Amino acid sequence: MSGHAVLTAQRVEDCVIDQAWERYSAEDHATWRILFERQRETVKGHVCREYLDGLEVLGIGPEAIPDFQRTNATLKRLTGWEVVAVPGLIPSRPFFQMLADRQFPAGTFIRSRAQLDYLEEPDIFHDVFGHVPLLANPAYADYMNEYGRIGLVACECKGVKFLARLNWYTIEFGLIRKPESVQIYGAGIVSSYGEAKYVVDNPSANFLAFDVHRVLRTGYYIDDLQATYFVIDRFEDLFDLLKQTDFAALYDRYRAQPDYTPFEIRPEDVIIRQGTGDYWRSFPATKSRLK
Ligand SMILES: [Fe+2]
Protein backbone atom coordinates (compact mmCIF):
# COMPACT_ATOMS: atom_id res chain seq x y z
CA MET A 1 0.00 0.00 0.00
CA SER A 2 1.48 3.29 -1.04
CA GLY A 3 0.85 6.38 -3.07
CA HIS A 4 3.49 5.71 -5.71
CA ALA A 5 1.73 5.43 -9.02
CA VAL A 6 1.91 2.67 -11.57
CA LEU A 7 -1.61 3.09 -12.89
CA THR A 8 -2.65 6.56 -13.94
CA ALA A 9 -6.39 6.01 -13.46
CA GLN A 10 -7.94 8.66 -11.26
CA ARG A 11 -11.30 6.96 -10.73
CA VAL A 12 -11.74 4.11 -8.28
CA GLU A 13 -13.79 2.05 -10.73
CA ASP A 14 -10.87 2.04 -13.18
CA CYS A 15 -8.55 0.60 -10.52
CA VAL A 16 -10.70 -2.31 -9.38
CA ILE A 17 -10.23 -5.84 -10.73
CA ASP A 18 -11.54 -9.31 -9.95
CA GLN A 19 -9.37 -11.30 -7.54
CA ALA A 20 -9.98 -14.44 -9.66
CA TRP A 21 -9.21 -16.60 -6.63
CA GLU A 22 -9.80 -19.84 -8.54
CA ARG A 23 -6.83 -19.03 -10.71
CA TYR A 24 -4.23 -19.35 -7.95
CA SER A 25 -2.10 -22.43 -8.48
CA ALA A 26 -1.10 -25.02 -5.89
CA GLU A 27 2.34 -23.42 -6.01
CA ASP A 28 0.83 -19.98 -5.16
CA HIS A 29 -0.96 -21.43 -2.15
CA ALA A 30 2.21 -23.25 -1.10
CA THR A 31 4.16 -19.96 -1.21
CA TRP A 32 1.49 -18.32 0.93
CA ARG A 33 1.86 -21.11 3.48
CA ILE A 34 5.65 -20.78 3.62
CA LEU A 35 5.42 -17.02 4.10
CA PHE A 36 2.61 -17.29 6.64
CA GLU A 37 4.32 -19.87 8.81
CA ARG A 38 7.67 -18.11 8.70
CA GLN A 39 6.17 -14.75 9.69
CA ARG A 40 3.96 -16.23 12.39
CA GLU A 41 7.10 -17.67 13.99
CA THR A 42 9.15 -14.49 13.52
CA VAL A 43 6.66 -12.08 15.10
CA LYS A 44 5.44 -14.47 17.80
CA GLY A 45 5.39 -12.66 21.13
CA HIS A 46 6.22 -9.34 19.44
CA VAL A 47 3.09 -8.47 17.47
CA CYS A 48 0.13 -6.78 19.15
CA ARG A 49 -2.89 -8.75 20.31
CA GLU A 50 -5.27 -6.72 18.11
CA TYR A 51 -3.44 -8.00 15.03
CA LEU A 52 -3.60 -11.65 16.15
CA ASP A 53 -7.28 -11.28 17.03
CA GLY A 54 -7.90 -10.00 13.49
CA LEU A 55 -6.12 -12.95 11.87
CA GLU A 56 -8.23 -15.30 13.91
CA VAL A 57 -11.63 -13.69 13.54
CA LEU A 58 -11.16 -13.26 9.77
CA GLY A 59 -10.01 -16.84 9.38
CA ILE A 60 -6.76 -15.82 7.69
CA GLY A 61 -4.56 -18.89 8.06
CA PRO A 62 -1.70 -20.74 6.38
CA GLU A 63 -3.89 -23.19 4.42
CA ALA A 64 -4.51 -21.04 1.35
CA ILE A 65 -4.42 -17.53 -0.07
CA PRO A 66 -7.54 -15.85 1.33
CA ASP A 67 -10.55 -15.46 -0.92
CA PHE A 68 -11.57 -11.79 -0.55
CA GLN A 69 -15.25 -12.66 -0.81
CA ARG A 70 -15.04 -14.89 2.23
CA THR A 71 -12.82 -12.51 4.19
CA ASN A 72 -15.20 -9.65 3.42
CA ALA A 73 -18.26 -11.46 4.72
CA THR A 74 -16.79 -11.22 8.23
CA LEU A 75 -14.85 -7.98 7.85
CA LYS A 76 -17.89 -6.04 6.63
CA ARG A 77 -19.94 -7.22 9.53
CA LEU A 78 -17.25 -6.26 12.06
CA THR A 79 -16.14 -2.82 10.88
CA GLY A 80 -17.78 -2.08 7.52
CA TRP A 81 -14.47 -2.54 5.65
CA GLU A 82 -13.94 -4.72 2.58
CA VAL A 83 -10.86 -5.85 0.70
CA VAL A 84 -10.94 -4.87 -2.98
CA ALA A 85 -8.58 -6.29 -5.60
CA VAL A 86 -6.41 -3.82 -7.54
CA PRO A 87 -3.71 -4.50 -10.14
CA GLY A 88 -0.86 -3.01 -8.09
CA LEU A 89 0.03 0.37 -6.67
CA ILE A 90 -2.67 2.90 -7.48
CA PRO A 91 -2.48 6.71 -7.63
CA SER A 92 -3.06 8.78 -4.51
CA ARG A 93 -6.54 10.06 -5.28
CA PRO A 94 -8.33 6.74 -5.89
CA PHE A 95 -6.24 5.22 -3.10
CA PHE A 96 -7.48 7.76 -0.55
CA GLN A 97 -11.01 7.59 -1.98
CA MET A 98 -11.11 3.86 -1.38
CA LEU A 99 -9.95 4.20 2.23
CA ALA A 100 -12.52 6.96 2.75
CA ASP A 101 -15.15 4.47 1.53
CA ARG A 102 -13.81 1.69 3.78
CA GLN A 103 -12.38 -0.24 0.86
CA PHE A 104 -8.87 -1.60 1.26
CA PRO A 105 -7.02 -1.91 -2.07
CA ALA A 106 -5.05 -5.16 -2.17
CA GLY A 107 -2.77 -6.63 -4.81
CA THR A 108 -3.72 -10.09 -6.06
CA PHE A 109 -0.40 -11.52 -7.21
CA ILE A 110 1.93 -13.43 -4.93
CA ARG A 111 5.72 -13.32 -5.06
CA SER A 112 7.52 -16.44 -6.28
CA ARG A 113 8.97 -19.01 -3.95
CA ALA A 114 12.40 -18.21 -5.35
CA GLN A 115 12.05 -14.58 -4.22
CA LEU A 116 10.48 -14.80 -0.79
CA ASP A 117 12.22 -11.67 0.45
CA TYR A 118 12.29 -9.57 -2.68
CA LEU A 119 9.37 -7.33 -3.53
CA GLU A 120 9.21 -4.58 -6.10
CA GLU A 121 5.71 -3.69 -5.08
CA PRO A 122 3.34 -5.00 -2.45
CA ASP A 123 1.86 -8.41 -3.18
CA ILE A 124 -1.11 -10.16 -1.62
CA PHE A 125 0.99 -11.43 1.27
CA HIS A 126 2.02 -7.92 2.26
CA ASP A 127 -1.44 -6.46 1.71
CA VAL A 128 -3.54 -9.20 3.28
CA PHE A 129 -1.29 -10.74 5.93
CA GLY A 130 0.18 -7.32 6.74
CA HIS A 131 -2.74 -4.91 6.55
CA VAL A 132 -6.08 -6.68 6.66
CA PRO A 133 -6.14 -8.25 10.17
CA LEU A 134 -6.11 -4.86 11.94
CA LEU A 135 -9.03 -3.68 9.82
CA ALA A 136 -11.14 -5.99 11.98
CA ASN A 137 -10.26 -3.79 14.98
CA PRO A 138 -12.80 -0.95 15.28
CA ALA A 139 -10.34 1.72 16.47
CA TYR A 140 -7.76 0.91 13.80
CA ALA A 141 -10.49 0.64 11.17
CA ASP A 142 -11.69 4.14 12.05
CA TYR A 143 -8.15 5.48 11.83
CA MET A 144 -7.62 4.08 8.32
CA ASN A 145 -10.98 5.45 7.23
CA GLU A 146 -10.19 8.92 8.55
CA TYR A 147 -6.71 8.74 7.01
CA GLY A 148 -8.42 8.29 3.63
CA ARG A 149 -10.64 11.30 4.18
CA ILE A 150 -7.71 13.48 5.16
CA GLY A 151 -5.79 12.13 2.19
CA LEU A 152 -8.42 13.40 -0.21
CA VAL A 153 -8.02 16.86 1.28
CA ALA A 154 -4.24 16.52 1.08
CA CYS A 155 -4.53 15.92 -2.67
CA GLU A 156 -6.10 19.38 -2.98
CA CYS A 157 -3.57 21.25 -0.85
CA LYS A 158 -0.26 19.61 -1.80
CA GLY A 159 -0.01 17.66 1.43
CA VAL A 160 0.37 14.13 0.11
CA LYS A 161 4.11 14.04 0.78
CA PHE A 162 3.55 14.82 4.46
CA LEU A 163 0.63 12.46 4.82
CA ALA A 164 2.65 9.68 3.18
CA ARG A 165 5.06 9.99 6.12
CA LEU A 166 2.21 9.50 8.55
CA ASN A 167 1.25 6.36 6.61
CA TRP A 168 4.84 5.21 6.62
CA TYR A 169 5.47 5.67 10.33
CA THR A 170 2.10 4.30 11.52
CA ILE A 171 0.25 2.02 9.09
CA GLU A 172 3.42 0.56 7.55
CA PHE A 173 6.07 0.72 10.28
CA GLY A 174 4.28 1.58 13.50
CA LEU A 175 4.97 0.16 16.95
CA ILE A 176 2.60 0.22 19.92
CA ARG A 177 3.44 0.32 23.63
CA LYS A 178 1.83 -2.45 25.67
CA PRO A 179 2.27 -3.28 29.37
CA GLU A 180 4.48 -6.26 28.49
CA SER A 181 6.66 -4.59 25.82
CA VAL A 182 6.77 -2.41 22.72
CA GLN A 183 5.02 -4.43 20.02
CA ILE A 184 4.62 -4.45 16.27
CA TYR A 185 1.50 -3.34 14.39
CA GLY A 186 2.83 -1.87 11.11
CA ALA A 187 2.12 -3.99 8.04
CA GLY A 188 5.58 -3.41 6.60
CA ILE A 189 7.10 -5.05 9.66
CA VAL A 190 4.50 -7.77 10.19
CA SER A 191 4.79 -9.00 6.60
CA SER A 192 8.57 -8.70 6.16
CA TYR A 193 10.96 -11.32 7.46
CA GLY A 194 13.97 -9.00 7.38
CA GLU A 195 12.27 -6.00 8.99
CA ALA A 196 10.55 -8.11 11.66
CA LYS A 197 13.84 -9.83 12.58
CA TYR A 198 15.54 -6.44 12.73
CA VAL A 199 12.90 -4.93 15.02
CA VAL A 200 12.90 -7.97 17.28
CA ASP A 201 16.62 -8.88 17.41
CA ASN A 202 18.72 -5.91 16.35
CA PRO A 203 19.34 -2.99 18.76
CA SER A 204 20.24 -0.48 16.00
CA ALA A 205 16.98 1.42 15.60
CA ASN A 206 15.59 4.22 17.75
CA PHE A 207 12.12 3.84 19.22
CA LEU A 208 10.61 7.31 19.80
CA ALA A 209 7.22 8.26 21.21
CA PHE A 210 4.89 9.10 18.33
CA ASP A 211 4.35 12.80 17.72
CA VAL A 212 2.46 13.92 14.65
CA HIS A 213 4.54 17.05 14.08
CA ARG A 214 7.75 15.07 14.28
CA VAL A 215 6.44 12.38 11.93
CA LEU A 216 5.15 14.78 9.28
CA ARG A 217 8.61 16.33 9.11
CA THR A 218 10.63 13.09 9.09
CA GLY A 219 11.67 11.65 5.76
CA TYR A 220 12.19 7.97 5.07
CA TYR A 221 13.98 5.61 2.72
CA ILE A 222 11.70 3.17 0.93
CA ASP A 223 14.38 0.60 0.24
CA ASP A 224 15.90 -0.27 3.58
CA LEU A 225 15.15 -1.00 7.22
CA GLN A 226 14.10 1.93 9.39
CA ALA A 227 16.54 3.89 11.51
CA THR A 228 13.71 5.14 13.71
CA TYR A 229 10.29 3.75 14.59
CA PHE A 230 7.55 5.76 16.28
CA VAL A 231 5.59 4.22 19.13
CA ILE A 232 1.91 4.92 19.83
CA ASP A 233 -0.01 4.02 22.99
CA ARG A 234 -3.46 3.27 21.57
CA PHE A 235 -5.08 3.13 18.13
CA GLU A 236 -7.78 5.45 19.45
CA ASP A 237 -5.10 8.14 19.89
CA LEU A 238 -4.31 8.04 16.17
CA PHE A 239 -7.95 8.49 15.24
CA ASP A 240 -8.44 11.35 17.72
CA LEU A 241 -5.35 13.02 16.36
CA LEU A 242 -6.70 12.99 12.81
CA LYS A 243 -9.98 14.43 14.03
CA GLN A 244 -8.33 17.22 15.99
CA THR A 245 -5.47 18.31 13.72
CA ASP A 246 -5.64 21.05 11.10
CA PHE A 247 -3.44 19.26 8.57
CA ALA A 248 -3.65 21.93 5.86
CA ALA A 249 -2.07 24.44 8.26
CA LEU A 250 0.68 21.96 9.14
CA TYR A 251 1.51 21.28 5.47
CA ASP A 252 1.91 25.03 4.94
CA ARG A 253 4.08 25.41 7.99
CA TYR A 254 6.34 22.40 7.36
CA ARG A 255 6.75 23.02 3.66
CA ALA A 256 8.73 26.12 4.63
CA GLN A 257 10.94 24.28 7.11
CA PRO A 258 13.69 21.70 6.66
CA ASP A 259 12.87 18.01 6.89
CA TYR A 260 14.32 15.80 9.59
CA THR A 261 16.25 12.68 8.68
CA PRO A 262 15.31 9.35 10.26
CA PHE A 263 18.74 9.24 11.92
CA GLU A 264 18.57 12.19 14.27
CA ILE A 265 17.13 12.46 17.75
CA ARG A 266 15.68 15.90 18.48
CA PRO A 267 15.83 17.60 21.88
CA GLU A 268 12.03 17.40 22.17
CA ASP A 269 11.85 13.67 21.36
CA VAL A 270 10.69 11.22 24.01
CA ILE A 271 13.12 8.33 23.68
CA ILE A 272 11.73 4.89 24.39
CA ARG A 273 14.82 3.07 23.17
CA GLN A 274 17.95 4.74 21.90
CA GLY A 275 19.35 2.59 19.12
CA THR A 276 23.01 1.73 18.72
CA GLY A 277 22.82 2.93 15.12
CA ASP A 278 25.16 0.13 14.04
CA TYR A 279 23.01 -1.07 11.16
CA TRP A 280 22.35 2.27 9.54
CA ARG A 281 25.44 4.33 10.31
CA SER A 282 26.63 4.13 6.70
CA PHE A 283 23.22 5.01 5.20
CA PRO A 284 23.43 8.74 4.54
CA ALA A 285 26.42 8.43 2.23
CA THR A 286 24.95 5.64 0.15
CA LYS A 287 21.25 6.42 -0.08
CA SER A 288 19.24 8.36 -2.58
CA ARG A 289 16.95 11.20 -1.60
CA LEU A 290 14.69 10.96 1.40
CA LYS A 291 10.94 10.74 0.77
FE1 LIG B 1 1.51 -1.59 2.74
Side-chain angles (χ1 to χ4, degrees):
M1 204 191 78
S2 160
H4 157 120
V6 168
L7 282 177
T8 54
Q10 290 299 320
R11 299 187 317 167
V12 168
E13 55 266 43
D14 297 328
C15 299
V16 169
I17 60 170
D18 179 17
Q19 185 190 9
W21 185 82
E22 62 290 346
R23 274 191 250 153
Y24 291 115
S25 64
E27 171 70 12
D28 292 335
H29 291 300
T31 302
W32 171 274
R33 174 187 282 276
I34 292 167
L35 288 165
F36 189 106
E37 289 179 341
R38 184 174 69 159
Q39 277 319 98
R40 183 167 56 185
E41 214 36 56
T42 307
V43 301
K44 198 174 185 176
H46 302 282
V47 70
C48 69
R49 179 187 49 78
E50 293 88 339
Y51 171 85
L52 294 172
D53 289 348
L55 269 188
E56 192 181 341
V57 72
L58 296 175
I60 299 173
E63 311 76 34
I65 293 173
D67 178 343
F68 293 170
Q69 255 185 342
R70 297 181 60 177
T71 310
N72 287 342
T74 311
L75 186 56
K76 268 194 148 171
R77 180 169 52 74
L78 290 171
T79 58
W81 275 82
E82 59 181 326
V83 184
V84 175
V86 295
L89 295 170
I90 64 174
S92 298
R93 197 177 302 268
F95 171 73
F96 289 130
Q97 183 66 57
M98 289 179 82
L99 300 187
D101 293 334
R102 293 195 176 237
Q103 296 184 320
F104 183 77
T108 59
F109 81 99
I110 187 155
R111 69 197 79 178
S112 76
R113 204 193 293 216
Q115 295 188 311
L116 286 187
D117 298 319
Y118 175 77
L119 268 196
E120 250 178 25
E121 60 177 81
D123 70 347
I124 192 168
F125 186 74
H126 169 79
D127 281 340
V128 174
F129 184 86
H131 285 285
V132 172
L134 277 175
L135 292 174
N137 177 271
Y140 186 90
D142 286 346
Y143 171 62
M144 281 285 272
N145 186 216
E146 193 61 23
Y147 178 80
R149 267 186 259 170
I150 285 173
L152 286 173
V153 179
C155 291
E156 304 306 320
C157 56
K158 297 196 165 68
V160 171
K161 166 182 138 174
F162 297 102
L163 213 52
R165 292 173 177 168
L166 182 60
N167 173 60
W168 189 264
Y169 286 117
T170 61
I171 294 164
E172 294 293 350
F173 295 101
L175 299 176
I176 185 166
R177 189 154 35 180
K178 295 287 188 176
E180 52 277 37
S181 61
V182 171
Q183 300 191 328
I184 300 164
Y185 74 90
I189 312 173
V190 173
S191 66
S192 157
Y193 182 67
E195 191 111 17
K197 277 286 220 198
Y198 170 75
V199 168
V200 169
D201 294 337
N202 189 313
S204 290
N206 302 319
F207 294 173
L208 304 180
F210 176 86
D211 174 82
V212 69
H213 301 273
R214 172 65 149 88
V215 164
L216 293 184
R217 296 187 65 179
T218 305
Y220 58 90
Y221 295 109
I222 59 167
D223 58 351
D224 215 321
L225 307 173
Q226 314 311 308
T228 292
Y229 297 86
F230 292 94
V231 184
I232 63 165
D233 286 312
R234 303 177 326 137
F235 293 124
E236 287 83 353
D237 295 343
L238 286 176
F239 176 73
D240 293 345
L241 177 93
L242 293 192
K243 280 289 192 198
Q244 292 158 8
T245 304
D246 177 358
F247 279 90
L250 294 186
Y251 306 148
D252 284 343
R253 192 194 310 169
Y254 296 140
R255 205 176 287 120
Q257 295 179 18
D259 290 336
Y260 300 140
T261 73
F263 311 108
E264 60 197 290
I265 291 183
R266 314 279 317 161
E268 61 276 20
D269 286 335
V270 176
I271 301 169
I272 293 170
R273 182 185 89 174
Q274 180 151 9
T276 62
D278 290 342
Y279 174 77
W280 47 263
R281 195 158 286 121
S282 62
F283 267 27
T286 58
K287 292 284 173 187
S288 55
R289 208 166 63 85
L290 277 177
K291 290 277 181 186

